[in-house]
Amino acid sequence: MSEEKVFVPVDNLKKLHMVYSDTCSTCAICADYCPTYLEKKDPELIPGKKHEYVLKLVNAQKSFLRMIFGPKPVDAKELREKVRYLYTCTLCGRCSEACSYDVDLYSLWANIRVSVFRAGFAPEPLKMLQTTLKKAKDPYDAGLDMRTFWVRRARLREAPLKYTANLVYFVGCATAFRAQNRAIASSIAQILNYFKEDWTLLGDKEWCCGSPVMMVGDEETAKEFAEHNVEVIEETRADTVVVGCASCYRMLRWEYPTLLRRRPKFEVLHITELLNKYLEEGKLKLTKSDIPVTYHDPCELSRLGGVIKEPRKILKALTSNFVEIPEHGKDTRCCGGGGLLQAIDNDLRIKIGVKRIRQAENIGAKIITSACPSCKLTLLDAAKSVGSGIEVLDIVELLAKQLASK
């Protein structure tokens, strides 16, 4: 019996992506920067090695011979074996930062997932996640009616739902639905109320930002989510959308204009950008503690989003003992929480996170902060797994504690 053969569409790949695959398949410079390879030391996880197979998929469709004689199917068994390696990736983009040829590897990895998904070969856990997202509009199958459950749990009196407002707080799924992150949402609400912003939630009109479905490879559903969220935000006539999640920030600010082929009628700010604005305007006056605090840059906020200085300015206003963690800023070391790695290999996610916890401990930090709910969840899990006494907080939790005491 002959082996099953399948076609993997690569039409979503741009010509530059194909050049990238050819270049990367002969190189391994970025191997020592890849969080999954560094932890497992499996040669199949080296970005250059994975690109050998990507190049095979490309050549089966787009090589000179295939342009003459038509596309060639690939072996389904081999595809299934290679797909796990392609998805054992946090999509942190650090390989791009390390690349001597300035290759945009993040874009290539994201687009090859689209090809694999369209061929029907995405890993089964991610197919199940995609089904859940399409049905419930969130990755936890909580449902739209639970979007504001955190408001009741936080006992907030002023978390508004208005028809119109100057500012929309887009909460995000990992913040709204995970108990460990409810304090992030309540802290941001407290901050917005403290500064008397005219703001609103979207309530049950808010859908997932689309980042998880993009990471699965389902670009069409991500576009559907983008269209919905932009429509309901624009209905409020808000000129600013504030987010506390690095994934939501990347999607709303950078991915939505590409998906929708237009720029939404509002500005997107990460909460740290808004807080830094308050600082610069003299509205935010803080008292410094002497507690050793460090900051973990979320990959999607720093390397992929460009927000690096603002969180540090806030922390340096909160403590006189800010300590910089190794591998930070654009060169930040991934915590392990990106790329849906938890659904593929949760043990690997935790091991990568432990490395970050140990780095924070080694510089004497008592608190490790971040500015992303997914990073907080991963660092919490990592700290718990090794019995670390370091405190894991989002930057807004640290700030809100001081505002509450005023």
Side-chain angles (χ1 to χ4, degrees):
M1 182 178 177
S2 60
E3 292 289 342
E4 180 189 358
K5 300 289 183 179
V6 296
F7 287 95
V8 179
V10 294
D11 291 339
N12 58 293
L13 297 180
K14 299 176 182 177
K15 290 181 181 178
L16 196 55
H17 288 137
M18 298 172 193
V19 174
Y20 290 163
S21 293
D22 190 41
T23 302
C24 295
S25 64
T26 59
C27 180
I29 288 174
C30 65
D32 288 337
Y33 295 85
C34 175
T36 57
Y37 170 70
L38 284 174
E39 192 56 49
K40 301 200 83 168
K41 294 298 182 181
D42 184 341
E44 292 288 342
L45 292 175
I46 295 174
K49 182 68 175 176
K50 289 192 283 188
H51 273 291
E52 285 185 13
Y53 188 69
V54 172
L55 187 61
K56 183 175 181 178
L57 296 179
V58 169
N59 286 337
Q61 301 281 321
K62 300 292 184 179
S63 68
F64 178 71
L65 285 176
R66 300 281 62 88
M67 298 297 284
I68 297 173
F69 297 107
K72 179 182 179 181
V74 296
D75 180 66
K77 181 180 179 181
E78 183 184 21
L79 178 60
R80 291 189 184 94
E81 292 172 352
K82 296 294 184 180
V83 157
R84 185 168 185 85
Y85 294 114
L86 292 174
Y87 279 82
T88 304
C89 171
T90 63
L91 290 177
C92 71
R94 200 178 184 201
C95 47
S96 297
E97 195 65 28
C99 182
S100 300
Y101 303 100
D102 200 27
V103 169
D104 182 5
L105 287 161
Y106 174 85
S107 174
L108 195 145
W109 294 132
N111 274 277
I112 201 63
R113 289 191 181 200
V114 174
S115 297
V116 171
F117 176 81
R118 288 177 178 174
F121 281 79
E124 286 304 318
L126 300 194
K127 288 182 180 178
M128 293 170 62
L129 176 63
Q130 185 264 354
T131 300
T132 296
L133 279 157
K134 280 187 72 72
K135 179 187 72 172
K137 314 307 180 191
D138 73 75
Y140 304 108
D141 201 14
L144 298 174
D145 59 326
M146 293 296 289
R147 279 278 170 191
T148 54
F149 180 72
W150 65 269
V151 175
R152 298 192 294 275
R153 296 289 291 185
R155 298 178 182 176
L156 289 174
R157 294 180 181 178
E158 297 179 78
L161 285 168
K162 302 178 182 177
Y163 288 110
T164 61
N166 292 335
L167 183 151
V168 167
Y169 169 32
F170 190 94
V171 182
C173 303
T175 304
F177 298 122
R178 295 299 299 271
Q180 302 94 319
N181 285 331
R182 287 190 192 122
I184 296 176
S186 59
S187 295
I188 292 176
Q190 178 188 337
I191 290 165
L192 294 176
N193 286 335
Y194 181 87
F195 288 100
K196 296 180 171 55
E197 292 283 358
D198 174 27
W199 70 284
T200 186
L201 299 168
L202 296 176
D204 59 9
K205 293 181 180 179
E206 180 183 309
W207 290 7
C208 172
C209 70
S211 179
V213 281
M214 282 284 283
M215 290 178 181
V216 173
D218 184 2
E219 196 172 49
E220 290 304 311
T221 298
K223 182 180 178 181
E224 176 191 342
F225 284 17
E227 288 173 340
H228 170 84
N229 285 327
V230 168
E231 180 180 346
V232 296
I233 291 169
E234 290 182 342
E235 284 176 356
T236 69
R237 300 179 185 175
D239 53 26
T240 305
V241 174
V242 166
V243 298
C245 171
S247 293
C248 293
Y249 178 79
R250 180 180 59 80
M251 287 298 295
L252 269 70
R253 183 158 185 174
W254 304 114
E255 298 292 345
Y256 277 16
T258 300
L259 286 168
L260 303 180
R261 298 184 179 181
R262 74 172 180 91
R263 190 166 295 281
K265 300 174 184 177
F266 49 80
E267 180 184 17
V268 179
L269 294 177
H270 189 270
I271 185 64
T272 56
E273 294 180 293
L274 182 63
L275 290 171
N276 184 59
K277 182 182 175 184
Y278 293 150
L279 268 177
E280 291 179 344
E281 292 174 350
K283 295 179 181 178
L284 180 57
K285 300 182 186 300
L286 299 168
T287 304
K288 292 185 180 183
S289 75
D290 60 356
I291 300 173
V293 179
T294 193
Y295 174 68
H296 162 73
D297 288 277
C299 300
E300 291 185 277
L301 187 62
S302 58
R303 182 164 40 245
L304 301 175
V307 179
I308 296 171
K309 295 179 181 178
E310 293 85 349
R312 287 169 171 79
K313 289 181 180 178
I314 296 160
L315 287 171
K316 287 176 182 178
L318 281 166
T319 177
S320 59
N321 201 354
F322 175 73
V323 285
E324 192 71 85
I325 197 168
E327 301 174 293
H328 56 267
K330 281 192 174 183
D331 188 43
T332 186
R333 186 187 186 101
C334 184
C335 69
L340 303 178
L341 183 63
Q342 184 173 10
I344 301 298
D345 191 337
N346 189 49
D347 288 342
L348 177 57
R349 164 184 166 264
I350 299 298
K351 288 177 181 177
I352 294 170
V354 168
K355 291 287 178 66
R356 205 59 169 155
I357 292 295
R358 294 306 190 203
Q359 284 183 316
E361 290 174 335
N362 290 339
I363 59 172
K366 298 300 181 184
I367 300 173
I368 181 170
T369 63
S370 191
C372 177
S374 294
C375 291
K376 182 188 174 184
L377 289 172
T378 298
L379 293 171
L380 280 170
D381 289 347
K384 182 179 180 181
S385 74
V386 293
S388 174
I390 196 166
E391 188 174 8
V392 181
L393 291 172
D394 191 280
I395 194 170
V396 295
E397 295 176 274
L398 197 63
L399 187 143
K401 284 182 180 181
Q402 188 172 131
L403 293 183
S405 65
K406 291 192 174 186

